[in-house]
Amino acid sequence: MKRLAVISLLFLLAICCLPAFVFSQELPNAADVLSSALAALREYQITFRNLTATETRGFEIFDSAGHLKMRRQVISILIVFPLAQNPNSAEEFRHIIAVDNKPVADAEKRAESFFEKIARSQNDARLRQQIQKESLRFDPVEVIGYTTSPGICLFENLRNFFRYDEVGDEILDGHRTIRIYCEQNFATDAIRLSRPGARPDSNVAADIDSDGQTEHLGDLRLRASLWIDRDTFRLRREIREFSVLNYKTQKRSVIQHAEFTFRDSGFGILTPQRILIDLFRPLRKRFEMSREARIEILYSEFSKPDVEIKFKMP
């Protein structure tokens, strides 16, 4: 199975000692908005662990001519929990219950056996591999870590690589929001194209697959619009795009587009409601991009699971 998109499951979001912000124009309280949004994102990170919801992932896969090749629907119980060695990280586990409207045989028994196995794990890297293998076994493309890493351009370790513009106030589903536009101006290893043999790195915020064409493509950049609640500074909506530079044509193209919608919950945070992701492949002969996949992810209301997941430490 080819990995097309991985968003880091680690939040590097300490809210003290922030570096200087870069704004295209002086706007009153703009720095306060970003600092408050970062604090709200940290609150999301902490509270979102050990929550669960029914997740419906709908896949559409396209051929190189843009024609629909296949569809798939995977319904799971999503559980988000912290890992043993690094309590600041979180992992998405999917207990798959149905594929293309057909129940998965012995799903409950399989989940119980799996949790018994991983509860003894003391290595986070190995644990992640096991969880991803189990959670994504029916997915035609692998899309990982989106629920745990919204608002990448707010991450503390990336602030100096972005320009921030406060677009203004907008009403979003009856809520007053502040719209912030952020655009990456400088390259950073924390936002990178996947390379064969690259090791997992906790400092990487986004790891995007280029279908093995890193010799022709590079300089991955992120731009995003954030709709931040004016009262709570929580993220209500996000649109993000990753683009790459084609070294032969010297033109930039979008390699991934994603839209996030969040809603109120009973946990003092806004939880994911819908995530829509478009993935694009580089065409080897024409040096153009063609849409490879569209993934729509829908969530029920989140709740606390009946059992909290913990791991034994040595």
Side-chain angles (χ1 to χ4, degrees):
M1 186 183 297
K2 183 176 68 173
R3 182 185 64 186
L4 285 177
V6 177
I7 302 298
S8 173
L9 302 181
L10 293 179
F11 281 77
L12 307 176
L13 295 178
I15 60 176
C16 62
C17 305
L18 293 177
F21 303 126
V22 180
F23 299 102
S24 63
Q25 55 182 320
E26 291 295 328
L27 292 170
N29 300 320
D32 290 341
V33 171
L34 292 178
S35 294
S36 297
L38 179 62
L41 202 56
R42 174 65 178 174
E43 179 187 30
Y44 174 93
Q45 172 219 355
I46 295 172
T47 306
F48 196 63
R49 300 170 197 162
N50 283 311
L51 293 186
T52 183
T54 300
E55 178 191 74
T56 302
R57 292 158 73 91
F59 296 88
E60 292 182 336
I61 309 299
F62 302 89
D63 63 20
S64 60
H67 301 133
L68 182 64
K69 187 167 61 175
M70 71 164 289
R71 283 192 175 97
R72 171 158 292 178
Q73 183 191 76
V74 180
I75 301 177
S76 308
I77 305 301
L78 173 72
I79 304 173
V80 180
F81 54 87
L83 298 180
Q85 293 177 319
N86 188 349
N88 290 324
S89 65
E91 188 65 40
E92 303 169 327
F93 172 76
R94 290 169 174 87
H95 165 38
I96 303 171
I97 57 177
V99 178
D100 293 336
N101 295 316
K102 296 180 181 179
V104 174
D106 297 324
E108 293 294 336
K109 183 177 180 181
R110 183 184 179 107
E112 291 176 4
S113 176
F114 180 76
F115 276 115
E116 289 176 0
K117 178 181 178 181
I118 66 172
R120 297 186 295 270
S121 178
Q122 299 173 1
N123 183 290
D124 283 356
R126 175 61 178 162
L127 179 60
R128 276 203 172 102
Q129 288 182 340
Q130 293 174 317
I131 290 174
Q132 291 175 11
K133 182 178 179 180
E134 179 71 13
S135 299
L136 307 175
R137 65 187 190 275
F138 292 109
D139 293 3
V141 295
E142 296 185 4
V143 177
I144 306 167
Y146 286 78
T147 64
T148 54
S149 294
I152 287 177
C153 64
L154 294 174
F155 286 14
E156 179 188 0
N157 65 321
L158 298 179
R159 286 290 180 86
N160 287 333
F161 298 96
F162 282 85
R163 185 189 82 242
Y164 298 88
D165 297 326
E166 185 175 340
V167 178
D169 290 354
E170 294 187 17
I171 301 297
L172 183 64
D173 296 329
H175 299 278
R176 293 183 63 193
T177 66
I178 303 169
R179 183 180 173 188
I180 299 291
Y181 175 77
C182 53
E183 183 171 1
Q184 184 182 346
N185 287 337
F186 305 100
T188 169
D189 291 337
I191 296 175
R192 71 184 187 186
L193 291 174
S194 299
R195 295 182 181 274
R199 294 184 177 182
D201 187 342
S202 63
N203 293 314
V204 173
D207 191 3
I208 308 298
D209 189 69
S210 62
D211 200 19
Q213 297 196 46
T214 52
E215 71 276 16
H216 301 308
L217 302 174
D219 193 23
L220 183 69
R221 298 292 178 95
L222 167 64
R223 62 184 180 185
S225 289
L226 309 176
W227 284 260
I228 298 169
D229 189 283
R230 193 172 180 85
D231 297 322
T232 65
F233 297 99
R234 295 167 186 154
L235 189 59
R236 287 201 169 271
R237 187 185 183 203
E238 177 182 3
I239 297 178
R240 72 168 69 143
E241 282 188 345
F242 291 97
S243 66
V244 291
L245 178 67
N246 188 310
Y247 294 135
K248 293 196 173 183
T249 65
Q250 288 299 302
K251 294 181 179 179
R252 299 197 72 83
S253 299
V254 173
I255 196 170
Q256 183 191 128
H257 176 96
E259 301 182 13
F260 301 73
T261 304
F262 299 85
R263 63 180 166 200
D264 295 306
S265 74
F267 301 101
I269 61 171
L270 303 182
T271 53
Q273 181 178 15
R274 177 179 182 260
I275 302 175
L276 182 67
I277 305 164
D278 284 308
L279 304 175
F280 299 87
R281 70 158 68 82
L283 300 177
R284 295 178 182 272
K285 295 183 178 180
R286 288 183 284 167
F287 304 111
E288 298 174 353
M289 288 290 187
S290 174
R291 186 168 67 175
E292 182 168 13
R294 165 166 281 192
I295 305 100
E296 183 181 41
I297 312 174
L298 303 175
Y299 298 92
S300 68
E301 292 189 5
F302 279 79
S303 61
K304 283 283 188 182
D306 294 334
V307 178
E308 185 174 353
I309 302 168
K310 295 183 178 180
F311 298 95
K312 295 180 179 179
M313 294 296 291

